[in-house]
């Protein structure tokens, strides 16, 4: 009831909480065929890349020493909750990225959760994408109430084992509070993007890409790192002109992000550019420098090599996941992948012939630690 009360207060929506098959079909019928084809294209690419990732995780077993067989198994979590933002912008691609990846991993039950628009409901394209990609249930609920519903198994849903997907600061905080009771992909902050560019880069392409990321939100940092001061000045001249042409909401976001968070940094050489980039550890890193040695770069959520590789392609349909570490978290983590839905669990099997040597070493170590029954548990197997 508390979740429903919050939904009425914040979502201003009192329709179905769990969408029926008929409601999903009706919403899907509203999606233009061209958009359906675009969603299908993106889904196919994300699925193919997720399948490639899964192929790198294999069950293995080996004889460590005679008589000791050890191994590992990759077992999918049972229930996944996928949060799909739908407030300020309708993140159709987030449904594709999260639900598809969980499906490929082999999760038994997948819930797609998205905030409904007041008195309208979830964007039909999000509903269509979530259903196409394999969601077992679609939950029309936003914010902390949606996160809680998936975590605690409200409305006859299974309790989630992991929560994934981006969201606003309230969603991020809810995931942080619940971490431990449930797994999470990451605590995501505002999206950020860094471009490395030299004199050969097209200033318009660089400027457009910076604005494309700044329009995400008022607090979305964008950075240009270059060894060419002329390029830096040209880009700084172009960006305000491009922002001025945006619709009001996008313009307000991009203006604030550019004014308060953007940086243009001129370095002495490519080595300094690489060091600067690694220090920022951006979510998105684009290299618009034909001679740049990308092996110098180690900290990024996803790397886009060359001017043809737009971050927007990665946001929507290139294949690699767009749910990526922000706020410098790329120094110690990567983006959402099949691997986060898989538990790598070890196995051990010891034969009569193998137990004696293990028992002696384990008993000696237990005695050194002062754990009496660890020692006895080992010695009884000599």
């Amino acid at each position: 009831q508390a979740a429903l009360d919050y939904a009425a207060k914040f979502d201003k929506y009192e329709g179905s909480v769990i969408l029926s098959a008929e409601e999903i079909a009706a919403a899907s019928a509203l999606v233009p065929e061209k958009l359906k084809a675009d969603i299908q294209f993106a889904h196919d690419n994300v699925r193919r890349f997720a399948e490639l990732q899964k192929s790198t995780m294999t069950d293995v077993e080996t004889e460590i020493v005679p008589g000791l067989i050890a191994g590992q198994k990759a077992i999918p979590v049972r229930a996944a909750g996928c949060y799909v933002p739908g407030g300020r912008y309708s993140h159709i691609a987030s449904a594709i990225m999260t639900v598809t990846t969980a499906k490929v991993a082999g999760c038994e039950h997948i819930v797609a959760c998205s905030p409904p628009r007041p008195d309208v409901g979830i964007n039909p394209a999000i509903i269509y994408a979530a259903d196409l990609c394999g969601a077992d249930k679609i939950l029309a609920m936003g914010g902390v109430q949606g996160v809680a519903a998936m975590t605690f198994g409200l409305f006859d849903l299974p309790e989630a084992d992991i929560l994934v997907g981006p969201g606003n600061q309230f969603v991020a905080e809810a995931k942080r509070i619940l971490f431990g009771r449930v797994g999470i992909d990451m605590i995501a902050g505002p999206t950020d993007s860094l471009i490395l560019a030299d004199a050969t880069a097209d200033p318009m392409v660089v400027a457009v890409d910076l604005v494309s990321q700044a329009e995400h939100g008022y607090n979305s940092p964008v950075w240009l790192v270059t060894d060419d001061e002329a390029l830096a000045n040209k880009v700084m001249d172009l960006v305000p002109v491009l922002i001025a042409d945006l619709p009001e909401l996008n313009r307000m976001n991009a203006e604030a992000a550019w004014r308060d968070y953007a940086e243009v940094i001129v370095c002495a050489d490519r080595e300094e550019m690489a060091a600067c980039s690694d220090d920022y550890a951006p979510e998105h890193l684009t290299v618009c420098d034909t001679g740049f040695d990308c092996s110098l770069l180690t900290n990024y959520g996803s790397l886009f090599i060359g001017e043809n590789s737009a971050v927007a392609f990665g946001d929507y349909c290139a294949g690699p996941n767009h749910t990526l570490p922000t706020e410098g978290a790329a120094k110690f983590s990567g983006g959402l992948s099949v691997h986060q839905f898989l538990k790598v669990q070890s196995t051990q099997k010891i034969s009569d012939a193998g137990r004696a040597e293990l028992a002696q070493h384990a008993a000696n170590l237990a005695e050194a630690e002062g754990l009496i029954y660890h020692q006895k548990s080992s010695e009884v197997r000599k």
Side-chain angles (χ1 to χ4, degrees):
Q1 187 57 51
L4 291 172
D5 290 344
Y6 278 117
K9 179 178 180 180
F10 294 115
D11 296 332
K12 295 180 173 57
Y13 169 79
E14 297 183 3
S16 299
V17 175
I18 303 294
L19 300 190
S20 67
E22 292 75 20
E23 288 170 320
I24 292 170
S28 298
L30 299 175
V31 181
E33 290 302 315
K34 178 63 175 68
L35 181 54
K36 286 182 178 179
D38 295 330
I39 292 170
Q40 180 70 64
F41 176 82
H43 169 248
D44 288 344
N45 286 352
V46 173
R47 175 182 50 78
R48 291 186 190 105
F49 189 76
E51 288 170 346
L52 173 64
Q53 287 181 322
K54 190 177 182 182
S55 72
T56 68
M57 295 288 291
T58 57
D59 294 348
V60 296
E61 197 171 72
T62 188
E63 191 168 28
I64 301 290
V65 294
L68 166 58
I69 306 297
Q72 73 173 30
K73 292 179 179 295
I75 302 173
V77 301
R78 185 180 66 91
C82 302
Y83 192 89
V84 181
R88 187 167 45 191
Y89 303 111
S90 294
H91 288 233
I92 302 166
S94 288
I96 300 169
M97 299 287 175
T98 56
V99 176
T100 303
T101 309
K103 190 71 175 180
V104 170
C107 295
E108 183 181 318
H109 196 283
I110 302 167
V111 176
C113 170
S114 190
R117 298 285 172 87
D119 302 319
V120 174
I122 300 174
N123 183 303
I126 290 178
I127 295 172
Y128 174 77
D131 183 58
L132 171 72
C133 296
D136 296 289
K137 296 290 183 182
I138 299 176
L139 173 66
M141 191 168 279
V144 296
Q145 61 272 24
V147 172
M150 293 188 289
T151 301
F152 296 106
L154 307 183
F155 312 110
D156 295 321
L157 298 173
E159 293 184 7
D161 297 309
I162 188 170
L163 298 172
V164 302
N168 62 20
Q169 60 266 45
F170 303 106
V171 170
E173 178 62 11
K175 288 168 68 177
R176 187 193 68 80
I177 291 170
L178 290 166
F179 176 60
R181 181 186 180 99
V182 64
I184 63 172
D185 51 352
M186 64 190 75
I187 301 170
T191 190
D192 61 67
S193 191
L194 187 149
I195 298 176
L196 295 172
D198 70 348
T200 66
D202 184 332
M204 180 59 75
V205 170
V206 173
V208 166
D209 282 1
L210 290 171
V211 175
S212 76
Q213 295 304 300
E215 71 175 338
H216 269 286
Y218 71 92
N219 56 354
S220 294
V222 291
W223 306 291
L224 169 61
V225 177
T226 180
D227 59 0
D228 186 72
E229 189 169 347
L231 175 74
N233 286 320
K234 180 63 175 175
V235 170
M236 286 193 292
D237 288 341
L238 285 170
V239 167
V241 177
L242 298 177
I243 291 175
D245 278 344
L246 288 169
E248 183 179 6
L249 175 60
N250 305 60
R251 185 177 70 251
M252 290 173 61
N253 285 331
E255 281 177 346
W258 182 250
R259 180 187 65 237
D260 299 333
Y261 294 92
E263 297 177 39
V264 177
I265 302 164
V266 179
C267 297
D269 51 37
R270 286 168 172 157
E271 287 72 22
E272 187 180 346
M273 290 167 64
C276 179
S277 176
D278 270 1
D279 186 50
Y280 280 63
E283 177 186 10
H284 309 98
L285 174 57
T286 304
V287 177
C288 294
D289 179 341
T290 53
F292 201 93
D293 180 4
C294 291
S295 69
L296 296 172
L297 304 166
T298 58
N299 298 336
Y300 48 82
S302 193
L303 178 61
F304 300 81
I305 303 171
E307 286 188 353
N308 288 336
S309 304
V311 170
F313 294 164
D315 284 342
Y316 294 114
C317 57
N321 211 286
H322 81 184
T323 306
L324 301 167
T326 61
E327 298 183 319
K331 291 179 180 178
F332 57 82
S333 67
L336 181 66
S337 72
V338 163
H339 303 150
Q340 285 176 282
F341 296 98
L342 297 170
K343 302 170 292 178
V344 180
Q345 297 173 306
S346 62
T347 61
Q348 300 168 51
K349 183 170 64 175
I350 300 165
S351 69
D352 289 342
R355 72 183 184 184
E357 184 176 12
L358 286 163
Q360 185 58 59
H361 289 297
N364 293 342
L365 289 166
E367 182 179 17
E369 289 187 350
L371 293 168
I372 304 303
Y373 266 85
H374 280 66
Q375 180 181 352
K376 289 184 181 298
S377 177
S378 302
E379 289 176 340
V380 78
R381 289 175 168 81
K382 285 183 180 179

